[in-house]
Amino acid sequence: MAVGEASFPAMPVIEGIRLGTAMAGFKTPGRRDLVVVELPETTTLAATFTRNAFCAAPVHVARRHLEAQAPRYLLVNTGNANAGTGEQGMRDAEASCEALASLAGVSAQSVLPFSTGVIGEPLPVTRLCDALPDALSALNADGWHAAAEGILTTDTRPKGATRQIDIDGHVVTINGIAKGSGMIQPNMATMLGFVFTDAAIDEARLQPLLRAAVDASFNCITVDSDTSTNDACTLAATGRGASIDSDAREARFAAALTEVLVELAQAIIRDAEGATKFVTLEVEGASSRREALDVAFTVAHSPLVKTALYASDANWGRILAAVGRAPVEALDVSRIVIDLGDVRLVENGGRAASYTEEAGSAVMAEAEIAIRIHLGRGDASATVWTSDLSHDYVSINADYRS
Amino acid sequence: MAVGEASFPAMPVIEGIRLGTAMAGFKTPGRRDLVVVELPETTTLAATFTRNAFCAAPVHVARRHLEAQAPRYLLVNTGNANAGTGEQGMRDAEASCEALASLAGVSAQSVLPFSTGVIGEPLPVTRLCDALPDALSALNADGWHAAAEGILTTDTRPKGATRQIDIDGHVVTINGIAKGSGMIQPNMATMLGFVFTDAAIDEARLQPLLRAAVDASFNCITVDSDTSTNDACTLAATGRGASIDSDAREARFAAALTEVLVELAQAIIRDAEGATKFVTLEVEGASSRREALDVAFTVAHSPLVKTALYASDANWGRILAAVGRAPVEALDVSRIVIDLGDVRLVENGGRAASYTEEAGSAVMAEAEIAIRIHLGRGDASATVWTSDLSHDYVSINADYRS
């Protein structure tokens, strides 16, 4: 299942970026499951990684390589997360980088590895290395769609987003691809997101730019509250285009970058495991952004709210109960206002006087639903995107390894 | 569904306690849905209530009445929570108490009201009041089983527990009944639990006794992380039996009380909505009990762990990923040991060397499963009981109002 229509956008070429895919046989035979992305030597790269304490071997290795050297290749496999694999996992991730480096004539530290898939199985390194020549010979500047397909796990759709902006007469392109469908509550990162631009951005500007855009996008989505061991998001700037060297240019670039990441984050929720609904939770009137996020995520994680959404049941009492248990001190329920689309559900501590079951049900019948919660405590706000909890979610996750 | 066999225990009479039920027609026709419990004048009573900010009208009223006067009656309805009902809900709860008080010849403030069921619908007060004479004329000292049935909602079984202890030659009885199946993560209370004893216990001892027993029982269970608006647990001591007037007597009473509450709490999990597994999560080696509870609840709430349990899939990577995202600072994954029953899953940051899929699967095939997580950080521990996430959980909660 997935919510709404989706088409993969036409992605402009970014000079110097080439993408290649291969079938290493990690997953279903005949599926692309290995992706290599080549970056030009001029590239600067920022990255955010999962905060999960059991973070995967490739996360450790990518961090280490990034500190040592400017990256020339991203190496991504699906079907196996190489997480919970101890010392052997670290050796396997290093060996994969070395194999690619040797074929490409670069140093192993200039390769960043990324893995996604089942946790706790040893990485099939031989199969991965055997498929590398195919991936390298497939490298081309138009490989976006194939690469977006090659990183998927339980996703049903490739996810891409692109923007072009004018920087003082020069066109700057931002292309992003991402994957993710379950085990989604990114914490300071996403499942896997790879973003590329031809802009020239020095490292001091690049990391804060990525961090802020991730905080407004991937860190505001949840499918099932489960933060993955492998979350990662990178932003590579080839430096061949216009230079983002002033605060004014940075602001314009940041806005476009955030648009690309929000579009990718929303695409993950639209394609969430078993999703039949795309839900936007807006919390306003909070005393801090943290508080707004806490309320939004408490509602977004409530199994009872999520099953009511699945049933298209305007069971607003469950939304109210979830808001009431959010970790907020001294919440005054008489000030809380909850709207479902344009229908007022809750005011003055109970059901809104104007509410009718008919009006509520009409909104709940839609595939895209907005819930707005006004806390009446301050001026901070947050928006979180989530999905419903369906029979298919249970089926997908009860069957995943079989 | 429910896990394991269950039979309602033979509950001894507690002199002065009488229970009566009636069919008010809140729920399915022909189902008991109204319960009245009569307490003798000598009774002292302690209570814990939900911490949900949107707590229900009967919670407000019960708290107020308890401060004003010693209680003589508990009045419990199922099928309607009288929560999210604003000022009208308060008036309805008061009116119910007044109606019972007038029939019984006591003051309205000596009646404590409790409600459970759908949130946000007005309480059908007239129907409730019409059924009160039936409930009062049914009052009898052996009404435990009927009362335990009369408070159920989506539960499939009545839940009771009883203990008798010897206090210096005098037999002291503790009887408890409880309900709860979904919207279960009690916070300083349970869904509904009513416990009675013939011991004489002054108020200064009674409230801490109940609080400690609730913290070790109802506050250690979760079905779906959703704290109800109506959680309440009371402990009524009639004062007709032996006096708990020394620390030694209190310790023996506390142990038996905790046993009764743990048995009721576990019964709620065995009867959790859609449950096919009864799961005991033991976290040891934590630096504080709070930390141990945080790790246990993070695993217990993980939809991916819960669906793996449902599938009887020894997908230990999901347990590891949940532990890794628990809110614990500077978790050293190399020190963590995770056992599934008597099978070691995780050590040294990855899969245990001795682990085999066959051994793991054999444990997961059982209906009762123990997961033990040793953090290697200190001496604190906690035990939490939870259920799995099944198709039936989704069905029950997608269909609840229809």
Side-chain angles (χ1 to χ4, degrees):
Chain A
M1 292 292 286
V3 181
E5 300 289 315
S7 60
F8 195 83
M11 307 275 264
V13 164
I14 295 182
E15 198 190 321
I17 305 271
R18 297 195 305 158
L19 310 97
T21 62
M23 300 174 194
F26 294 131
K27 296 204 65 173
T28 324
R31 254 211 59 181
R32 299 171 204 278
D33 49 17
L34 189 70
V35 176
V36 171
V37 185
E38 186 180 74
L39 311 169
E41 283 187 60
T42 48
T43 299
T44 53
L45 188 139
T48 59
F49 294 101
T50 182
R51 290 278 180 90
N52 194 306
F54 272 108
C55 67
V59 170
H60 286 290
V61 172
R63 271 216 193 92
R64 206 152 59 199
H65 286 190
L66 202 49
E67 277 171 23
Q69 205 163 342
R72 293 295 313 284
Y73 287 91
L74 311 181
L75 169 58
V76 195
N77 75 275
T78 180
N80 184 301
N82 194 9
T85 44
E87 280 306 312
Q88 185 61 46
M90 301 289 282
R91 284 193 293 273
D92 291 344
E94 288 285 7
S96 313
C97 293
E98 281 159 21
L100 173 55
S102 151
L103 289 167
V106 298
S107 84
Q109 292 187 320
S110 67
V111 179
L112 303 183
F114 302 87
S115 299
T116 179
V118 69
I119 295 173
E121 304 291 331
L123 185 72
V125 186
T126 311
R127 227 180 293 166
L128 188 154
C129 293
D130 288 351
L132 281 173
D134 280 358
L136 285 172
S137 66
L139 283 173
N140 75 90
D142 288 318
W144 299 98
H145 186 266
E149 283 193 328
I151 61 175
L152 305 182
T153 51
T154 53
D155 310 55
T156 68
R157 299 166 170 177
K159 298 166 182 69
T162 183
R163 291 289 185 284
Q164 289 190 313
I165 52 172
D166 179 272
I167 297 284
D168 300 328
H170 302 279
V171 173
V172 161
T173 299
I174 306 174
N175 284 354
I177 60 174
K179 61 82 52 181
S181 189
M183 197 176 266
I184 293 281
Q185 182 186 10
N187 183 1
M188 303 303 144
T190 175
M191 283 298 290
L192 293 180
F194 303 107
V195 187
F196 306 88
T197 179
D198 50 3
I201 314 179
D202 64 35
E203 306 227 3
R205 284 186 195 267
L206 200 62
Q207 186 71 32
L209 267 170
L210 177 62
R211 165 74 51 199
V214 164
D215 276 344
S217 57
F218 294 120
N219 283 351
C220 290
I221 61 173
T222 185
V223 172
D224 47 18
S225 78
D226 275 315
T227 302
S228 153
T229 50
N230 292 56
D231 294 345
C233 182
T234 63
L235 169 60
T238 65
R240 299 200 176 177
S243 188
I244 306 301
D245 52 7
S246 71
D247 289 352
R249 287 180 171 196
E250 182 176 322
R252 266 143 67 206
F253 184 86
L257 176 67
T258 302
E259 281 183 25
V260 167
L261 266 60
V262 166
E263 191 171 322
L264 291 172
Q266 292 188 349
I268 287 175
I269 295 302
R270 285 176 199 282
D271 195 21
E273 287 173 347
T276 72
K277 304 281 184 183
F278 175 83
V279 184
T280 303
L281 276 160
E282 298 173 303
V283 177
E284 299 169 346
S287 59
S288 68
R289 178 164 165 89
R290 183 67 259 160
E291 180 176 291
L293 285 166
D294 281 346
V295 171
F297 277 119
T298 302
V299 176
H301 291 154
S302 163
L304 292 173
V305 171
K306 291 172 100 78
T307 47
L309 286 162
Y310 172 50
S312 298
D313 175 10
N315 192 329
W316 56 271
R318 294 185 183 172
I319 303 172
L320 174 150
V323 171
R325 74 174 168 88
V328 175
E329 284 297 314
L331 192 62
D332 179 355
V333 301
S334 70
R335 300 171 72 92
I336 294 176
V337 174
I338 305 179
D339 291 334
L340 177 68
D342 54 3
V343 175
R344 180 132 306 175
L345 290 181
V346 170
E347 63 192 356
N348 300 321
R351 181 163 60 185
S354 58
Y355 179 74
T356 66
E357 189 80 15
E358 193 184 356
S361 299
V363 177
M364 285 298 265
E366 302 288 327
E368 308 218 355
I369 293 171
I371 299 172
R372 195 164 59 250
I373 300 162
H374 200 287
L375 300 177
R377 293 162 63 90
D379 294 325
S381 64
T383 300
V384 160
W385 298 280
T386 192
S387 51
D388 55 337
L389 172 55
S390 68
H391 282 114
D392 276 359
Y393 178 88
V394 175
S395 296
I396 290 164
N397 286 298
D399 300 343
Y400 182 57
R401 296 210 317 179
S402 56
Chain B
M1 290 293 284
V3 181
E5 299 291 313
S7 60
F8 196 83
M11 306 275 265
V13 163
I14 294 180
E15 199 192 320
I17 304 272
R18 298 195 304 159
L19 310 96
T21 61
M23 300 174 194
F26 292 134
K27 297 205 62 173
T28 326
R31 252 212 59 181
R32 300 170 203 279
D33 50 16
L34 189 70
V35 176
V36 172
V37 185
E38 187 180 73
L39 311 169
E41 282 187 59
T42 48
T43 299
T44 54
L45 189 140
T48 58
F49 294 101
T50 183
R51 289 278 180 90
N52 194 305
F54 272 108
C55 68
V59 170
H60 286 289
V61 172
R63 272 215 191 91
R64 206 152 60 198
H65 285 191
L66 201 49
E67 277 171 24
Q69 204 163 342
R72 292 296 313 284
Y73 288 92
L74 310 181
L75 169 58
V76 195
N77 73 275
T78 181
N80 184 302
N82 194 10
T85 44
E87 282 305 312
Q88 184 62 45
M90 301 290 281
R91 285 193 293 273
D92 291 344
E94 288 286 7
S96 313
C97 293
E98 281 159 19
L100 173 54
S102 152
L103 289 167
V106 297
S107 84
Q109 291 187 321
S110 67
V111 179
L112 303 184
F114 303 88
S115 299
T116 179
V118 68
I119 295 172
E121 302 292 328
L123 185 72
V125 186
T126 310
R127 229 181 289 166
L128 188 154
C129 294
D130 288 351
L132 280 174
D134 279 358
L136 284 172
S137 65
L139 283 173
N140 76 91
D142 289 317
W144 298 98
H145 186 267
E149 284 193 328
I151 61 176
L152 305 181
T153 50
T154 54
D155 310 55
T156 69
R157 301 165 168 177
K159 298 165 183 71
T162 181
R163 290 290 185 283
Q164 289 190 313
I165 52 172
D166 178 273
I167 296 286
D168 300 329
H170 302 278
V171 174
V172 161
T173 300
I174 306 173
N175 284 354
I177 59 174
K179 62 82 51 181
S181 188
M183 199 177 268
I184 293 281
Q185 183 185 12
N187 183 0
M188 304 301 145
T190 174
M191 283 298 289
L192 294 180
F194 303 108
V195 187
F196 307 88
T197 179
D198 49 3
I201 313 177
D202 63 34
E203 306 226 4
R205 285 188 194 266
L206 201 62
Q207 186 70 35
L209 268 170
L210 177 62
R211 165 75 50 199
V214 163
D215 275 344
S217 56
F218 295 121
N219 284 350
C220 290
I221 60 173
T222 185
V223 173
D224 48 17
S225 79
D226 275 314
T227 302
S228 153
T229 50
N230 291 55
D231 293 345
C233 181
T234 63
L235 169 60
T238 66
R240 299 199 175 177
S243 187
I244 306 300
D245 52 8
S246 71
D247 289 351
R249 288 180 170 194
E250 183 175 320
R252 266 142 69 206
F253 184 86
L257 176 66
T258 302
E259 282 183 25
V260 168
L261 265 60
V262 167
E263 192 172 320
L264 292 172
Q266 291 187 350
I268 287 174
I269 295 301
R270 286 177 199 282
D271 195 21
E273 286 172 349
T276 72
K277 304 280 184 184
F278 175 83
V279 184
T280 303
L281 276 161
E282 298 174 302
V283 177
E284 300 168 347
S287 59
S288 67
R289 180 166 163 84
R290 182 69 260 160
E291 179 177 293
L293 284 166
D294 281 345
V295 171
F297 276 119
T298 301
V299 176
H301 291 155
S302 161
L304 292 174
V305 171
K306 291 172 101 77
T307 46
L309 285 162
Y310 171 51
S312 297
D313 175 8
N315 192 328
W316 56 271
R318 293 185 185 173
I319 302 173
L320 174 150
V323 171
R325 73 174 168 91
V328 175
E329 282 298 314
L331 193 62
D332 178 355
V333 300
S334 71
R335 299 171 72 93
I336 294 176
V337 174
I338 305 179
D339 291 335
L340 177 69
D342 54 3
V343 175
R344 179 131 307 173
L345 291 180
V346 170
E347 63 191 358
N348 300 322
R351 181 162 61 183
S354 58
Y355 179 75
T356 66
E357 189 80 14
E358 193 184 356
S361 299
V363 177
M364 285 298 268
E366 302 287 326
E368 308 218 355
I369 294 171
I371 300 172
R372 195 164 58 250
I373 300 161
H374 200 288
L375 299 178
R377 292 162 63 90
D379 294 324
S381 64
T383 300
V384 160
W385 298 281
T386 192
S387 51
D388 56 334
L389 172 56
S390 67
H391 283 114
D392 276 359
Y393 178 88
V394 176
S395 296
I396 290 164
N397 286 298
D399 300 342
Y400 184 56
R401 297 210 318 179
S402 55

